[in-house]
Amino acid sequence: MSQLGLSDLSDTQLVRLCQDRGAKDERPFQELFHRYQTLVWRVCFSFTNNPQDAEDLTQELFFKVYRSLHTFEGRSSFKTWIYRIAINTCQNEIRKRNSRPQQSDYDFNTLAEVLPGTATLETEWQQNQQRQQLAAALVSLPAEVAEMLYLKDIEQRPYLEIAAMLEISVSAAKMRAQRARLALRAAYDHREGGG
Amino acid sequence: MTTASTTHFSRDLLERYVSGQLSETESESITSHLAECEACLSLTDQLWTRQPIGEALLDNPDLDTDTASRLERKLVARIHRSNLGSAVTRLGTQGFLSVAFGLLRPFMAAKPTPHVEKGTKDD
């Protein structure tokens, strides 16, 4: 194994190295960070709809993971574990902020006053509104429902892979994905309707 | 509406399904069918991604390299600070304990004097 670089090791091997070496060597953890930074950032961005918030939350989350690595027992894959921490952390954080995930960096209202009638700007504003509604709907869902949506619709993983990750049958994965979408749809429409 | 897995649902019905226009019972019946019917599932997946909400889910930006590098720098710095803090606390605790032990050592090493009660001697 001495011939192998850190990038050749599996997640479980890296976690074991982190647990064994602790504070003496942070390189195995950095390798895990490289593997999952995009995934975690995207989860955080979906919930916050704000790049700066997503960055802060990602940092917070990886620090939390670093401090909790000793509790990882390998009952689920590291990927599933980090997914769940990411979704739970985001949901808790956003709920703590009084369910106001959508404080966008881009003030489209102000820009629209300066540049009225700009089609691109309007489209961007609409997309931003849509993402804000989506973020709010995601926060309101149970963590396992949000997790399914990430796996299927954001990460676009095949049903077979989702089933393996969650240790459920493929049929169950298909049904859960559909139910998750319907739940998101209901939460989204509820918010759009001002409910 | 049929739930037989050999029969496929119409596009129109699946469109109403993904847009949440069906009753809970109807939706659940379709959900069960989709678990067994690859053709209907594939069409439903397509219809879902064409919905504004499905599009919005897909339209999730990627982490850019600048942000990624900044994140790593900040995280590593934070881990170092935290580890340093823990080391200082550990050293401080060890130092305190060793000083305390040093001060208490003469007392701990001293032989306890036998306790003699007055008036018990036979003289």
Side-chain angles (χ1 to χ4, degrees):
Chain A
M1 200 165 94
S2 57
Q3 301 272 320
L4 296 175
L6 288 173
S7 58
D8 300 312
L9 300 182
S10 70
D11 289 352
T12 312
Q13 288 171 316
L14 285 171
V15 172
R16 235 171 258 147
L17 271 181
C18 290
Q19 289 169 337
D20 291 346
R21 295 183 186 176
K24 285 177 227 154
D25 187 2
E26 285 130 20
R27 285 171 306 161
F29 184 72
Q30 274 177 278
E31 177 59 29
L32 286 169
F33 172 78
H34 291 150
R35 286 183 194 182
Y36 293 107
Q37 57 181 350
T38 305
L39 182 150
V40 168
W41 185 85
R42 293 184 86 199
V43 170
C44 295
F45 184 84
S46 304
F47 275 101
T48 57
N49 192 35
N50 178 308
Q52 187 54 54
D53 283 350
E55 189 178 329
D56 292 346
L57 260 177
T58 304
Q59 195 207 135
E60 191 60 41
L61 199 139
F62 271 104
F63 186 66
K64 196 171 167 181
V65 168
Y66 177 77
R67 300 299 297 267
S68 332
L69 269 179
H70 64 280
T71 65
F72 178 74
E73 292 170 351
R75 273 181 281 179
S76 60
S77 71
F78 181 75
K79 193 193 283 177
T80 308
W81 189 65
I82 202 166
Y83 242 121
R84 288 182 180 156
I85 295 181
I87 289 171
N88 283 322
T89 305
C90 287
Q91 285 193 324
N92 290 339
E93 182 59 31
I94 303 302
R95 283 171 189 158
K96 224 191 307 180
R97 291 182 199 175
N98 204 16
S99 303
R100 284 187 295 110
Q102 61 276 19
Q103 200 56 54
S104 176
D105 270 356
Y106 318 111
D107 189 347
F108 287 101
N109 289 319
T110 313
L111 284 173
E113 281 168 19
V114 181
L115 299 163
T118 309
T120 320
L121 199 65
E122 269 182 35
T123 314
E124 273 192 59
W125 185 83
Q126 277 174 353
Q127 283 173 346
N128 188 54
Q129 288 295 309
Q130 212 165 50
R131 280 199 294 265
Q132 288 183 5
Q133 294 276 8
L134 183 64
L138 279 169
V139 172
S140 70
L141 295 175
E144 63 274 14
V145 175
E147 180 183 40
M148 180 53 88
L149 289 164
Y150 276 104
L151 294 174
K152 186 60 206 154
D153 289 328
I154 296 181
E155 297 298 317
Q156 295 182 63
R157 294 181 191 278
Y159 289 108
L160 199 68
E161 195 183 323
I162 296 174
M165 268 182 84
L166 302 180
E167 295 173 344
I168 55 176
S169 70
V170 181
S171 291
K174 289 173 180 173
M175 286 205 283
R176 280 196 204 178
Q178 304 312 318
R179 288 185 188 131
R181 286 170 173 173
L182 293 178
L184 177 69
R185 152 73 63 199
Y188 184 87
D189 289 347
H190 179 69
R191 279 164 195 282
E192 205 171 43
Chain B
M1 191 172 77
T2 176
T3 55
S5 57
T6 47
T7 315
H8 301 306
F9 287 126
S10 71
R11 186 189 181 93
D12 176 59
L13 185 67
L14 292 176
E15 257 169 7
R16 286 195 285 137
Y17 170 75
V18 294
S19 31
Q21 292 171 22
L22 300 180
S23 71
E24 208 174 305
T25 320
E26 287 173 318
S27 291
E28 197 46 42
S29 163
I30 294 180
T31 303
S32 305
H33 173 80
L34 294 178
E36 307 302 327
C37 179
E38 206 52 53
C40 286
L41 180 68
S42 166
L43 179 57
T44 307
D45 284 347
Q46 280 176 35
L47 294 172
W48 170 256
T49 52
R50 284 180 207 155
Q51 293 276 312
I53 191 170
E55 274 179 8
L57 277 174
L58 277 174
D59 184 32
N60 210 7
D62 265 331
L63 176 66
D64 64 81
T65 46
D66 285 350
T67 309
S69 316
R70 191 169 55 242
L71 247 173
E72 185 171 1
R73 274 200 312 275
K74 281 187 194 170
L75 180 69
V76 170
R78 190 169 173 190
I79 288 173
H80 282 164
R81 276 199 308 276
S82 161
N83 288 340
L84 188 67
S86 304
V88 168
T89 310
R90 199 169 51 246
L91 281 173
T93 311
Q94 281 172 356
F96 172 79
L97 287 176
S98 73
V99 168
F101 183 70
L103 288 171
L104 291 172
R105 203 170 176 174
F107 299 102
M108 290 159 75
K111 269 190 177 176
T113 46
H115 182 69
V116 181
E117 282 186 30
K118 276 184 183 174
T120 55
K121 244 182 176 181
D122 228 9
D123 38 12

